[in-house]
Amino acid sequence: MDTESVVQLRDELVTGVEWTRLVNCSVVATTTIAVLDWILTFDLEVSLVWRSRWTVTKFLYFLARYLPFVDCTLALYHQFSYALPASSCQTLYEVQAWLFGVGAALVELIFTLRTWAVWGKGRHFTYALLTVFCVMWVGVFVIDHLYLRATKHTISPLPQLIGCVMSVSSSILSVDYILLMLYDACLLSLMVIRGISACEIRLIHDFLDPLILGRLLLFPVRSEGNSQLIRIVYSDGIIYYAYVWALSLLNVLVITKLPIELQTLMMLMARVVHAVLACRVVLHIREQVRTQQRRALHRHDSTFGSTSWLIHAEAEMA
């Protein structure tokens, strides 16, 4: 081997080590986010979820909350196991990829149920939303299958420094994130439309009510809880959709523009943040509904009815 080849090989190894460290840092940082968010919200989780009756949302919450820890464990093992054969690395990556897909689908189901709840759970709307959800995720899983068939792992050139190494991959995985962006854009549009409609109904109600001035003068804080619930349901929800959409776009750019070694750089981050936001949606809604119910026990709020449909829908969904 001539000097030029040795120098080229050395540069490739150095670059590989640098890229591996970058992905490793991303995996560790993402795991830290998952653990930290769990610690910060554990008290709310115990009081609002653990002690509540079993519902579909409660079941989905536990899956959304704790499956990411399995994902993080597998990702850490994939990145830091320096003696795994290529076949084991490939199997581990495939298991991780399918868990990613299933976990993301469960998280999106939480966002979907939330949208379904605030739209009144109409029969035609239910069928339409369910159809779009199923078609989208069937497409995602088909793409995952094609992507995994195109991937291949190889033996690490530096087992002491580099864990599993992916030698062949495909940018078709970016289509998954594009589909997710389109679906989230659809849900976001539905939330915005419903939010505007709710605000218009509230304004009309307040304008037409001849006692509104007296209520504002005598009981100026009675509608505070309703306004807070509306803010949580719509404003926070819209911000969460924006975060998920941005992370999906970032993954599309990483997959299509960066080298194969960096293809998984933001995947775990998007997966965990996606789950964290969905869990916070459930916790925030339940916390505000509990506050509303406690206030209702202490006083009869004549303005409560203007958003009672929303409270009941969100309470049932939560």
Side-chain angles (χ1 to χ4, degrees):
M1 183 179 293
D2 56 20
T3 304
E4 183 178 352
S5 299
V6 172
V7 172
Q8 182 180 359
L9 178 60
R10 183 199 63 186
D11 292 341
E12 290 177 354
L13 290 176
V14 170
T15 302
V17 171
E18 291 176 350
W19 285 343
T20 299
R21 286 181 176 177
L22 188 60
V23 176
N24 290 349
C25 289
S26 177
V27 171
V28 172
T30 302
T31 304
T32 303
I33 291 174
V35 174
L36 180 61
D37 183 75
W38 177 74
I39 293 173
L40 293 175
T41 60
F42 184 71
D43 289 343
L44 279 178
E45 180 180 312
V46 171
S47 61
L48 298 175
V49 181
W50 287 20
R51 297 173 182 174
S52 66
R53 63 185 177 87
W54 277 98
T55 62
V56 173
T57 304
K58 181 175 179 177
F59 179 71
L60 291 175
Y61 175 89
F62 281 125
L63 291 177
R65 168 57 77 188
Y66 292 103
L67 275 181
F69 290 108
V70 178
D71 295 328
C72 290
T73 301
L74 293 177
L76 289 169
Y77 189 60
H78 182 271
Q79 292 301 125
F80 291 96
S81 294
Y82 300 123
L84 284 179
S87 59
S88 298
C89 286
Q90 181 68 24
T91 301
L92 180 61
Y93 186 74
E94 290 178 359
V95 171
Q96 187 179 352
W98 285 116
L99 283 178
F100 265 43
V102 172
L106 293 173
V107 169
E108 279 298 313
L109 186 55
I110 292 178
F111 286 113
T112 302
L113 287 174
R114 184 172 177 274
T115 305
W116 173 67
V118 300
W119 270 85
K121 308 177 184 179
R123 184 178 63 179
H124 296 297
F125 182 79
T126 300
Y127 292 154
L129 194 59
L130 180 62
T131 300
V132 174
F133 180 86
C134 292
V135 169
M136 197 274 286
W137 282 103
V138 167
V140 167
F141 289 131
V142 169
I143 292 169
D144 284 348
H145 174 69
L146 297 176
Y147 166 73
L148 291 174
R149 289 183 60 184
T151 61
K152 183 179 179 181
H153 281 71
T154 188
I155 299 175
S156 174
L158 289 174
Q160 298 82 4
L161 298 175
I162 302 176
C164 293
V165 176
M166 185 184 298
S167 58
V168 180
S169 185
S170 172
S171 60
I172 192 176
L173 184 63
S174 62
V175 180
D176 275 356
Y177 290 99
I178 293 174
L179 289 175
L180 183 60
M181 290 168 62
L182 292 175
Y183 185 75
D184 284 337
C186 177
L187 294 183
L188 175 60
S189 300
L190 291 172
M191 291 296 294
V192 170
I193 292 171
R194 189 58 170 168
I196 293 174
S197 176
C199 290
E200 289 177 348
I201 291 174
R202 183 173 179 81
L203 288 173
I204 293 173
H205 174 274
D206 291 346
F207 179 76
L208 295 179
D209 192 338
L211 300 179
I212 184 64
L213 181 59
R215 288 210 312 272
L216 289 175
L217 292 175
L218 296 176
F219 309 104
V221 298
R222 285 185 172 180
S223 62
E224 178 183 352
N226 295 334
S227 299
Q228 179 71 4
L229 180 61
I230 291 176
R231 186 190 68 80
I232 289 175
V233 172
Y234 295 112
S235 178
D236 289 2
I238 290 171
I239 292 174
Y240 288 170
Y241 282 126
Y243 285 154
V244 173
W245 200 89
L247 284 171
S248 297
L249 178 60
L250 185 59
N251 266 290
V252 171
L253 296 176
V254 168
I255 293 170
T256 56
K257 300 298 182 181
L258 296 185
I260 293 176
E261 292 83 354
L262 295 176
Q263 195 173 69
T264 61
L265 180 63
M266 295 301 299
M267 287 184 188
L268 185 64
M269 179 72 72
R271 167 76 180 95
V272 168
V273 171
H274 196 195
V276 164
L277 294 178
C279 291
R280 283 183 173 267
V281 162
V282 175
L283 292 177
H284 288 175
I285 290 175
R286 289 194 172 201
E287 183 181 26
Q288 188 58 33
V289 168
R290 182 178 64 178
T291 302
Q292 290 281 75
Q293 291 172 343
R294 286 177 176 176
R295 288 175 179 172
L297 291 176
H298 293 287
R299 66 189 179 201
H300 295 287
D301 190 346
S302 58
T303 65
F304 188 77
S306 62
T307 55
S308 60
W309 64 271
L310 177 59
I311 295 171
H312 294 321
E314 290 293 341
E316 186 176 346
M317 174 263 172

